[in-house]
Amino acid sequence: MFALVDMNSFYTSCETAFRPDLAGKPIVALSNNDGCVIARSKEAKALGIKMGMPWFQLREMQFPERIIAFSSNYELYGDMSQRVMTTLEEMCPRVEVYSIDEAFCDLTGVRNCRDLADFGREIRETVRRNTRILCGVGIAQTKTLAKLANRAAKEWPQTGGVVDLSNETRQRKLMSLMPVEEVWGVGRRIAKKLDAMDIKNALQLCDTDIRFIRKHFNVVLERTVRELRGEPCLELEEFAPAKQEIVCSRSFGERVTDYEEMRQAICSYAARASEKLRGEHQFCRYISVFVKTSPFSTEPYYGNHAGTKLLTPTQDTRDIIAAATRCLEAVWRDGHRYQKAGVMLGDFFSQCVAQLNLFDDNAPRANSDALMTLMDKLNKQGRGTLYFAGQGIAQVWQMKREMLSPCYTTKLSDIPVVRAN
DNA sequence: TCTGGGGTCCTAGGACCC
DNA sequence: TCTGGGGTCCTAGGACCC
């Protein structure tokens, strides 16, 4: 038995948790660079504000009430997420943190001693009490059905935010009401193809012959169909598997036309990616860089990427910056207004394997480990405490975050002082 | 003027091997 | 006339997720 716990309008809920004066107002959270809407409060949804809508368009629109917007504050959201997950871990024996605002809980044992919906309501109430954040709970025997149950819990207020879907009759009833694109694993493309085959709701998908699915789609959708039938194909993954790649990319606050600025940005992304790599206790051998102009612009589009394979896997920022810079030289073209760039690391080796290569011709730099450990330690106290000269000081290409809230839970200096009088 | 960032898995096709 | 069969590895691209 799985429970899927999903936070309601997570990012905007994090903002209102510390601004009770904003409760009941239409609020949106914006993507990096204040680009587009990525979270909406209940009231903002009711006004018809769509996910992914560009902020510069939304800002011009007329609404009966003023829209309150926040730049993404991932330090705050990440910390709030941890508090929610800790609460879940205290209540459930096994928890899979699926995303910043979602977790699967294993309810296998719970079933023997108490009513599942009751337990769901207890989860909901405890999370609300500990964090001031509301969540929905969907319960069923497969992850895909639990997702569907969660959908229903959010959509229909009379469920009180909790739906136990372990009963097959209820499953079929709910599936008949759910458009097929609401099913976890069915995206826009597949939904369109299914629609052309006259498969329009989840129940019709569930009842489609497996061989037919296999012939016209792939094993991924086959698993989805089996899961809808109550046959578990996806297990709870309590411990996250090691990452296979790490990406650091950003849109620029303003278009970049100068090579030196781009080099600074690439150095910064390379440094950040290396830091993440060390956080994963991995060494990488493949490094690549991409640059691109805006796909929305009327100017001719230019996008390109280049990669390089090192002889010896590394986790030293200096090696990774050097490789990334070489890649950038290969893809840079003068005369474009670049909108975005990024650095990707891949082909990972775990620490012990990498050390076998100590006897290679290309031995790692002396004291690399000590230096990187020190850097990471200093930068943990505050990002950007110690950085490479190549990253630049002015960083004019930095992303826009004009409506950033304070880091209420992680940075003391950010908390506004309330004065008497 | 202005449109996010970070991942995963699967498949097809090419290179290469015997 | 007539030119095989079977396998692995890698990469790019497409689909999905949040």
Side-chain angles (χ1 to χ4, degrees):
Chain A
M1 251 329 150
F2 297 95
L4 176 68
V5 183
D6 185 317
M7 305 308 127
N8 295 359
S9 315
F10 183 59
Y11 295 170
T12 60
S13 302
C14 289
E15 301 290 353
T16 41
F18 294 90
R19 290 284 306 274
D21 58 303
L22 298 182
K25 298 214 155 77
I27 302 171
V28 298
L30 303 177
S31 63
N32 272 341
N33 219 26
D34 297 340
C36 46
V37 173
I38 54 169
R40 305 154 295 159
S41 70
K42 197 167 67 197
E43 295 75 13
K45 286 176 193 168
L47 288 177
I49 297 171
K50 297 276 178 270
M51 198 72 163
M53 178 180 262
W55 168 236
F56 76 89
Q57 286 173 4
L58 180 60
R59 206 174 37 190
E60 301 302 317
M61 289 167 65
Q62 295 295 318
F63 291 101
E65 211 178 332
R66 198 170 72 88
I67 308 291
I68 297 158
F70 285 97
S71 303
S72 281
N73 184 343
Y74 284 102
E75 272 189 80
L76 174 65
Y77 310 152
D79 186 73
M80 290 298 279
S81 173
Q82 268 188 32
R83 291 167 194 233
V84 171
M85 300 309 170
T86 304
T87 300
L88 296 179
E89 277 157 5
E90 281 164 5
M91 302 185 71
C92 307
R94 296 171 65 227
V95 175
E96 171 186 341
V97 178
Y98 178 68
S99 75
I100 195 163
D101 73 335
E102 269 178 83
F104 286 104
C105 301
D106 179 8
L107 298 192
T108 308
V110 178
R111 197 184 196 182
N112 302 325
C113 43
R114 55 182 302 190
D115 180 72
L116 291 176
D118 273 350
F119 188 64
R121 282 185 280 272
E122 191 183 319
I123 289 179
R124 193 163 185 268
E125 184 47 34
T126 313
V127 168
R128 191 197 60 77
R129 204 171 50 228
N130 288 1
T131 63
R132 293 193 210 165
I133 286 177
L134 277 179
C135 60
V137 182
I139 300 166
Q141 52 268 64
T142 67
K143 283 182 162 182
T144 306
L145 285 171
K147 271 274 196 184
L148 217 57
N150 185 283
R151 241 339 197 288
K154 287 197 165 170
E155 204 153 315
W156 290 295
Q158 62 270 31
T159 61
V162 179
V163 169
D164 173 9
L165 203 62
S166 44
N167 172 290
E168 201 191 313
T169 317
R170 290 194 78 193
Q171 281 171 20
R172 295 186 65 82
K173 172 81 179 124
L174 176 61
M175 281 194 281
S176 71
L177 297 171
M178 281 284 177
V180 76
E181 61 266 29
E182 304 269 296
V183 174
W184 189 38
V186 178
R188 256 214 324 267
R189 297 304 258 279
I190 289 179
K192 201 174 160 197
K193 200 167 154 188
L194 286 169
D195 187 81
M197 297 166 162
D198 220 32
I199 299 169
K200 299 184 189 290
N201 65 44
L203 185 63
Q204 289 170 324
L205 179 62
C206 172
D207 289 338
T208 303
D209 192 290
I210 289 287
R211 284 161 302 183
F212 179 86
I213 296 292
R214 194 56 190 269
K215 190 173 160 211
H216 297 281
F217 299 89
N218 55 25
V219 293
V220 183
L221 193 66
E222 176 183 341
R223 277 200 286 261
T224 299
V225 172
R226 289 182 186 279
E227 286 243 321
L228 284 178
R229 297 176 180 185
E231 181 188 330
C233 301
L234 305 169
E235 289 179 10
L236 191 91
E237 286 176 29
E238 202 177 353
F239 306 101
K243 280 197 201 312
Q244 297 180 42
E245 56 179 40
I246 287 171
V247 179
C248 182
S249 72
R250 293 280 180 282
S251 298
F252 303 121
E254 278 166 31
R255 300 285 183 261
V256 167
T257 52
D258 176 47
Y259 179 79
E260 174 56 23
E261 276 179 25
M262 180 66 91
R263 200 179 55 81
Q264 288 181 8
I266 290 295
C267 280
S268 301
Y269 303 156
R272 178 66 189 127
S274 311
E275 195 177 88
K276 290 189 200 170
L277 182 68
R278 291 189 294 272
E280 291 277 312
H281 305 291
Q282 297 277 319
F283 289 69
C284 78
R285 214 168 60 152
Y286 181 74
I287 293 141
S288 77
V289 164
F290 73 85
V291 296
K292 53 187 276 208
T293 61
S294 171
F296 304 102
S297 168
T298 49
E299 326 161 18
Y301 177 78
Y302 174 70
N304 206 349
H305 64 100
T308 178
K309 202 152 195 170
L310 304 177
L311 286 168
T312 313
T314 184
Q315 60 169 194
D316 190 307
T317 304
R318 294 168 293 178
D319 296 333
I320 293 170
I321 285 182
T325 310
R326 267 183 280 130
C327 292
L328 174 60
E329 279 167 25
V331 293
W332 173 266
R333 301 282 180 276
D334 280 323
H336 289 293
R337 298 174 66 240
Y338 293 94
Q339 174 244 1
K340 183 175 179 177
V343 171
M344 198 190 102
L345 309 180
D347 198 7
F348 291 169
F349 292 75
S350 69
Q351 214 122 12
C352 57
V353 177
Q355 277 175 4
L356 291 177
N357 291 352
L358 269 176
F359 307 105
D360 270 6
D361 291 341
N362 301 62
R365 301 162 184 261
N367 298 325
S368 164
D369 196 34
L371 180 61
M372 292 302 124
T373 306
L374 178 67
M375 268 194 60
D376 291 342
K377 197 175 149 198
L378 286 171
N379 285 333
K380 218 170 183 174
Q381 296 164 13
R383 187 154 293 168
T385 302
L386 189 60
Y387 57 93
F388 286 84
Q391 292 176 237
I393 295 167
Q395 301 203 325
V396 291
W397 41 270
Q398 272 287 9
M399 63 184 180
K400 262 193 299 201
R401 293 167 99 190
E402 285 170 352
M403 293 152 286
L404 192 63
S405 58
C407 292
Y408 299 103
T409 59
T410 51
K411 229 180 189 171
L412 212 56
S413 61
D414 258 7
I415 298 172
V417 178
V418 180
R419 275 178 300 179
N421 309 323

